[in-house]
Amino acid sequence: DDFPDPLVEETSSPYTGWDDEDGSPISESTCSGEDFLGGHGITSTKWITKEFNFADKYTNFLLTFNWVAIDNWQGEYLIVLMNDEVIYSRSYNSDDLGTDLCGSGVKRDFEFDHEAAEYVTSCAIDSIKLTFKTTLEDKSPAEEYFGIRNITIRGYNRCDSGCECCLRNENSDICTTSTPPELKDSIDSNQGWSFVNDPNETVSTLNC
């Protein structure tokens, strides 16, 4: 297993430091006897977001979490982003499956347990922003809403020591000790990778 013990493990209340998109704190509520972020009267169109800073740098992150879709969902999506990149999306329709966990009882609710998503970067980083949001539009958080709980984040650095960026293609691994301004996959390069905006950047081929 490449992923070691969690860097982040928020599996019970209190969930601290989580805000909405406007920077206002997100509060907790209870569903089926457990506390979670968001919920009735709190999260529908609102985001749930938090920034994490780490002592070391990582290229690969694994997120696991539970989410609860409550009341009148009609095919809308929960979307999860790391550093503003979508790493997970899943829809739910309350007419298809579920039971009454903590909603109004008119529509069925469902908890998605131990969902997982991976975020991979070209260059090792020591901070991430994690965001949960939905495609629920113009809905009251008392009509349809969601909650998040049991959040863990694991990470590892696939690059060798001294390797700031580690890029993979079908032929080899490319490493550089500095972060280039822009990277692209070049169809004309025998190695498959080239730097743009800085043609003099020196790279070496390593087993990252």
Side-chain angles (χ1 to χ4, degrees):
D1 187 359
D2 290 322
F3 291 99
D5 293 337
L7 302 170
V8 173
E9 195 168 19
E10 298 193 14
T11 57
S12 61
S13 179
Y15 295 94
T16 59
W18 294 89
D19 297 324
D20 64 18
E21 62 271 31
D22 298 320
S24 299
I26 290 289
S27 55
E28 301 176 24
S29 58
T30 301
C31 184
S32 62
E34 294 189 46
D35 294 324
F36 62 96
L37 281 161
H40 184 269
I42 304 170
T43 45
S44 179
T45 59
K46 282 188 177 295
W47 302 3
I48 299 176
T49 187
K50 184 176 180 177
E51 293 188 14
F52 298 92
N53 297 290
F54 309 114
D56 298 313
K57 291 186 176 183
Y58 305 91
T59 57
N60 294 60
F61 296 88
L62 178 65
L63 168 71
T64 58
F65 63 99
N66 290 20
W67 72 280
V68 188
I70 306 165
D71 278 350
N72 189 28
W73 284 62
Q74 298 296 311
E76 295 93 347
Y77 282 81
L78 177 83
I79 301 171
V80 183
L81 304 93
M82 272 194 184
N83 290 352
D84 299 322
E85 292 187 21
V86 175
I87 61 170
Y88 171 97
S89 65
R90 186 163 185 174
S91 66
Y92 173 66
N93 192 316
S94 57
D95 295 327
D96 293 340
L97 76 165
T99 186
D100 182 31
L101 296 175
C102 53
S104 65
V106 176
K107 292 289 186 176
R108 291 176 289 185
D109 316 319
F110 192 79
E111 179 166 4
F112 294 86
D113 183 48
H114 203 71
E115 298 293 277
E118 188 171 352
Y119 176 61
V120 180
T121 67
S122 299
C123 302
I125 56 176
D126 59 7
S127 65
I128 59 168
K129 182 176 72 171
L130 177 60
T131 302
F132 300 91
K133 65 179 185 177
T134 72
T135 58
L136 300 171
E137 296 181 357
D138 301 323
K139 298 293 184 180
S140 164
E143 179 181 352
E144 52 188 28
Y145 46 99
F146 73 101
I148 304 292
R149 60 183 170 210
N150 295 339
I151 302 159
T152 64
I153 301 173
R154 291 175 167 83
Y156 76 91
N157 191 345
R158 71 176 182 275
C159 299
D160 284 346
S161 177
C163 199
E164 187 73 19
C165 301
C166 186
L167 310 176
R168 290 185 173 180
N169 68 3
E170 60 183 8
N171 298 318
S172 60
D173 295 328
I174 305 299
C175 172
T176 178
T177 55
S178 63
T179 305
E182 185 180 353
L183 297 165
K184 74 171 185 178
D185 187 7
S186 171
I187 61 174
D188 298 323
S189 170
N190 290 331
Q191 290 182 321
W193 295 99
S194 68
F195 294 105
V196 297
N197 292 347
D198 192 356
N200 296 318
E201 176 73 40
T202 300
V203 299
S204 57
T205 302
L206 299 177
N207 293 320
C208 299

